[in-house]
Amino acid sequence: MKRPCLLVIDDNATNLALLGYLLDRSGCEVCAAENGEQALKILAQRRDFDAVLCDIQLPVMDGYEFARQVRARPGLAQMPLVAITALAMAGDRGRILAAGFDGYVSKPIEPVEFIARAREWHAPRQVARDDAVAGPRNLPDASERTAAHQVAGH
């Protein structure tokens, strides 16, 4: 059985090491990028990721722009995106979902909860009747992202 493969984007080496360790312990293969631009280059080469975990505050290309670009690209638009960020003020979650993220985890992360949620993100995808691959369970679909986008006033 193939190990789930996650792309993790964070500019902090300590965060990358911690997230990589926790995800590896939960049975994932992990690929890392330091910013959104680097992550887009990786996604242009590899499309076998089950999900992307992305910090919001990044150099070169931040998480918001990364999410917008992923959602605009054919073949990547349905990629599950989860924000992992220290942004935890009122309204931040709505802005993050409106930018195109499917989920949100605030830092500092709690390891046991993070591993449990990571298992949801890389749960085996269900094959629909028309053989199209459905997204992971427990993440909002595109219509819910659109609703969040409208609520945030964008």
Side-chain angles (χ1 to χ4, degrees):
M1 184 171 176
K2 176 187 168 290
R3 287 176 63 180
C5 186
L6 301 178
L7 175 59
V8 179
I9 311 165
D10 199 310
D11 61 321
N12 181 297
T14 302
N15 290 344
L16 278 176
L18 174 62
L19 295 170
Y21 172 79
L22 292 173
L23 292 166
D24 180 67
R25 297 292 294 168
S26 76
C28 295
E29 176 186 343
V30 178
C31 183
E34 294 179 0
N35 60 65
E37 185 176 277
Q38 185 181 47
L40 286 174
K41 289 177 183 174
I42 291 169
L43 288 170
Q45 304 266 326
R46 285 183 66 178
R47 301 242 174 158
D48 63 332
F49 294 102
D50 294 290
V52 177
L53 310 180
C54 181
D55 189 13
I56 295 296
Q57 297 175 324
L58 297 167
V60 185
M61 179 188 293
D62 68 15
Y64 293 116
E65 183 60 24
F66 170 78
R68 283 189 284 274
Q69 290 205 25
V70 166
R71 295 295 178 228
R73 293 179 186 213
L76 291 178
Q78 297 304 315
M79 175 71 63
L81 302 178
V82 179
I84 299 180
T85 182
L87 297 175
M89 301 297 291
D92 287 334
R93 185 177 192 281
R95 280 189 292 281
I96 288 167
L97 295 176
F101 285 92
D102 298 297
Y104 174 90
V105 175
S106 60
K107 292 178 187 176
I109 62 167
E110 196 285 308
V112 174
E113 179 184 331
F114 178 78
I115 290 172
R117 292 197 59 199
R119 288 189 176 114
E120 293 173 7
W121 301 323
H122 65 71
R125 295 180 181 186
Q126 304 294 323
V127 177
R129 283 199 154 140
D130 64 354
D131 294 329
V133 177
R137 292 170 281 148
N138 301 324
L139 292 179
D141 64 15
S143 63
E144 290 174 276
R145 283 195 306 271
T146 301
H149 185 75
Q150 291 169 345
V151 169
H154 298 278

